[in-house]
Amino acid sequence: MITSALFTDFYELTMAQGYWKENMDQKVVFDMFFRKNPFNGGFSVLAGNETLIDILTEFKFSKDDIDYLREQKIFEEGFLEYLSNFKFSGDLYTMDEGTVIFPQEPIVRIHANLIEAQIIEGLLLNHINFQSLIATKTARVWIASKKAPIMEFGLRRAQGPDGAMSATRAAYIGGSAGTSNTLGGKLYGIPVMGTMAHAWIMSHPSELDAFREYAKIYPQNSVFLIDTYDTLKSGIKNAIIVGKELQEKGYNFGVRLDSGDISYLSRKVRKELDNAGCKDAKISVSNELTEEIITTLVANNAPINSWGVGTHMVTGGNESSFTGVYKLAARHDKQTDQMVPAMKFSDNPAKTTNPGIKNVYRLYDENGFACADILALEDEEILPNKEYRFHHPMVDYRQFSFTPSKVEPLLKKRLENGKRTSPRLPESEQLKISRNNMMSQLDTFDESYKRILNPHIYKVSITENLKDLKLDFINKNIK
């Protein structure tokens, strides 16, 4: 875990020195939110915020860090002395890890001094953007499989060691049942999984010998890779011979397909297994799987029991990044001694931010289904069994009225004055909570929002008060 405060963009430090020289270290509030769901999907999954909280409690500049900055010959000694005593002493609000999230809503809110808030920007975005991307991808894969066991096989294709570790953690939150990453298993308490490699089979005199030797060593965990030579002419036939020998000893077995026409081969293999009396034998598949491929195989009733997914899950596949951003929402005004809203303008309406200190509420109907997420100002409260009118966040004409049966506030204070508001759970326990949170939350959303292709758009709206505040900012800026 990187705890060096040098893990930030250099311009954050040059700006920080500028703030320091101008005595501009006032209280500010920043929001982290994202602009669009990845993969053209209908939802995203929050991950990485627990990692962020861990690091913020330890985040500092070491003596070596200060010496390195001194070598850049751009920082004054007084500022370097300030940094040598730096630590995050602000408040952090965030949604629970594993929360199903949507564009434009604050998923993290930072209350801190301006210099602190700026220095942690890169760290915050790095951890949450990447892990949320992978957790979202995995959740889509899990949904596509109809919630079948997903094995995360991505270590060798991930972007470096840290990418592999972060991906293993995030994939588990997103629904994977286990990982091939042994270190990830140890550190995160995730079940470790694996079968055999083609090299195992090729290094033995015959495929049959390879299967028999493996079964002797691992009788309780024998999954035979059957496509090294010829899946149907030799692989499945040798697997059945050894599998039946295992069955006579009271063990079950499985087979794995790693190439070829998965739909065609899985049907042929299932038929061979059933005809041989091996109806309990499981079929696992791998090989560059995506949620779209899995959706097609499931729709065609391919007889597959579990899925090994690597490259496309741990790298984000066709989506290289999560669109999380970090923007100023409020600042302290010396003249009024009050926190005043701040707002970023843009020619692109989607990049115009929502001003002020905001909370996020999830509204549920009488059947327990989530119907909308609402951005409200800090002094507002959304109550159940009361009708409200909400507005599109782009302050256009679209609006809707709704009477929620249940209202759930999503942002929770996790750090106060730089310290945890509750004890740190063991990582394995925290990950199980985050994973279960993701699974239970997805059950509260209509299937139309979870479609892999062309999902319905979930409502993220703002209150009348927030709409009026935003319009006031826009009108003043136009003038």
Side-chain angles (χ1 to χ4, degrees), residues 1-13:
M1 182 171 71
I2 297 174
T3 58
S4 169
L6 288 185
F7 193 64
T8 190
D9 292 307
F10 189 67
Y11 79 93
E12 304 286 14
L13 295 173

Side-chain angles (χ1 to χ4, degrees), residues 416-468:
E416 184 171 8
N417 298 323
K419 297 180 180 179
R420 285 183 172 273
T421 57
S422 58
R424 173 65 162 106
L425 296 173
E427 180 70 349
S428 59
E429 185 177 341
Q430 179 59 59
L431 278 179
K432 288 176 183 175
I433 292 172
S434 299
R435 185 173 187 266
N436 290 337
N437 184 39
M438 182 280 300
M439 292 178 172
S440 61
Q441 284 209 10
L442 278 177
D443 285 342
T444 67
F445 288 89
D446 186 81
E447 294 300 319
S448 62
Y449 301 120
K450 298 181 282 187
R451 288 195 298 254
I452 300 302
L453 297 175
N454 194 31
H456 192 52
I457 298 174
Y458 182 76
K459 285 186 175 68
V460 176
S461 302
I462 60 177
T463 62
E464 294 233 24
N465 288 341
L466 181 51
K467 179 207 72 170
D468 291 342

Side-chain angles (χ1 to χ4, degrees), residues 254-402:
V255 298
R256 178 162 73 98
L257 293 166
D258 190 46
S259 62
D261 186 327
I262 298 295
S263 180
Y264 170 79
L265 290 174
S266 64
R267 294 174 198 281
K268 289 292 187 180
V269 166
R270 182 76 266 166
K271 185 175 180 180
E272 291 268 5
L273 291 168
D274 291 348
N275 289 342
C278 303
K279 295 183 181 294
D280 291 333
K282 307 296 185 183
I283 299 175
S284 177
V285 301
S286 52
N287 187 31
E288 301 296 324
L289 295 173
T290 66
E291 62 265 50
E292 292 84 5
I293 292 171
I294 293 172
T295 297
T296 301
L297 290 168
V298 169
N300 290 335
N301 296 312
I304 297 167
N305 303 105
S306 62
W307 310 79
V309 188
T311 304
H312 296 286
M313 196 159 75
V314 303
T315 65
N318 58 1
E319 193 91 25
S320 61
S321 65
F322 198 73
T323 57
V325 294
Y326 184 74
K327 300 297 180 185
L328 183 68
R331 59 179 177 81
H332 181 262
D333 181 69
K334 290 183 179 180
Q335 292 184 339
T336 62
D337 195 29
Q338 299 287 325
M339 295 296 291
V340 298
M343 179 174 166
K344 175 186 178 296
F345 290 86
S346 174
D347 291 336
N348 180 351
K351 289 192 173 184
T352 298
T353 62
N354 292 299
I357 305 173
K358 299 172 289 297
N359 293 320
V360 184
Y361 296 91
R362 182 155 294 165
L363 310 186
Y364 297 85
D365 65 16
E366 64 278 6
N367 297 314
F369 280 96
C371 295
D373 282 9
I374 303 301
L375 278 60
L377 293 171
E378 186 182 34
D379 58 358
E380 296 186 275
E381 186 176 14
I382 310 297
L383 300 172
N385 304 313
K386 180 180 178 181
E387 185 176 21
Y388 296 90
R389 178 179 294 173
F390 301 113
H391 300 264
H392 193 279
M394 295 300 104
V395 293
D396 63 19
Y397 66 90
R398 285 172 285 182
Q399 57 184 266
F400 77 103
S401 296
F402 186 66

Side-chain angles (χ1 to χ4, degrees), residues 86-106:
F86 174 88
K87 67 175 184 175
F88 181 74
S89 61
D91 300 341
L92 179 147
Y93 295 76
T94 183
M95 298 180 185
D96 290 333
E97 194 168 49
T99 296
V100 177
I101 54 176
F102 299 94
Q104 302 303 324
E105 58 191 28

